[in-house]
């Protein structure tokens, strides 16, 4: 990883190795992470009956596989949907992103098409659940939007 030691600093640099070769790789960490919060005043979930939801627009960045992680550290059980630009469901997940620290996390892995628009619905498995969460994507551009329905 090549980075500066101060925030907001940018510029050209040279990276050299004395033995071997350099290869550019896609970073293994998320390219975009947003913090959100489900509230009683949020839009209703389109995919589930009863829960509230937040919506995000995701723009494809090349034909690449992305992973969406809905990690809800406040303890409610996450549920996530991926829709295409015509709001047709492509994928959904309840708990496959879970681990010991967040057993209710959701994860969707899907191959995005370059320049195409997708929508992500971040919601809960049950009605009335509220609290903070983190939504991450490994590729593509992610932005919060109003309910597309």
């Amino acid at each position: 990883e090549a980075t500066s030691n101060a925030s907001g600093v940018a510029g050209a640099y040279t990276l050299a190795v004395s033995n071997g070769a350099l290869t550019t790789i896609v970073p293994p960490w998320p390219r975009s992470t947003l913090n959100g919060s489900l509230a009683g005043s949020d839009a209703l979930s389109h995919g589930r009956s009863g829960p509230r939801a937040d919506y995000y627009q995701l723009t494809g960045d090349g034909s690449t596989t992305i992973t969406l992680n809905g990690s809800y550290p406040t303890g409610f059980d996450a549920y996530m949907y991926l829709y295409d630009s015509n709001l047709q469901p492509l994928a959904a997940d309840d708990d496959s992103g879970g681990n010991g620290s967040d057993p209710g996390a959701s994860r969707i892995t899907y191959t995005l098409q370059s320049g195409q628009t997708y929508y992500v619905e971040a919601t809960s498995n049950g009605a009335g659940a509220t609290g903070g969460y983190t939504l991450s994507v490994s590729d593509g551009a992610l932005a919060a939007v109003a309910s597309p329905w």
Side-chain angles (χ1 to χ4, degrees):
E1 176 179 358
T3 186
S4 70
N5 63 356
S7 178
V9 176
Y13 63 90
T14 301
L15 187 60
V17 295
S18 60
N19 191 9
L22 290 175
T23 303
T24 302
I25 61 169
V26 175
W29 53 86
R31 281 197 178 173
S32 181
T33 299
L34 297 175
N35 293 316
S37 180
L38 282 184
S41 59
D42 286 342
L44 287 171
S45 168
H46 179 75
R48 303 192 62 73
S49 179
R52 299 296 176 163
D54 289 332
Y55 294 91
Y56 297 87
Q57 187 176 49
L58 177 61
T59 304
D61 186 17
S63 285
T64 184
T65 300
I66 62 140
T67 302
L68 304 174
N69 295 295
S71 178
Y72 294 78
T74 56
F76 65 84
D77 188 5
Y79 208 103
M80 188 167 40
Y81 292 90
L82 178 67
Y83 301 95
D84 67 14
S85 61
N86 296 315
L87 302 176
Q88 297 302 306
L90 299 173
D93 185 69
D94 185 8
D95 294 334
S96 73
N99 58 40
S101 64
D102 188 4
S106 300
R107 176 174 293 148
I108 295 172
T109 301
Y110 195 83
T111 301
L112 298 180
Q113 298 302 309
S114 180
Q116 296 296 309
T117 299
Y118 300 86
Y119 293 94
V120 176
E121 178 181 331
T123 188
S124 68
N125 199 20
T130 59
Y133 63 86
T134 302
L135 181 64
S136 301
V137 296
S138 62
D139 214 344
L142 188 63
V145 296
S147 172
W149 282 274

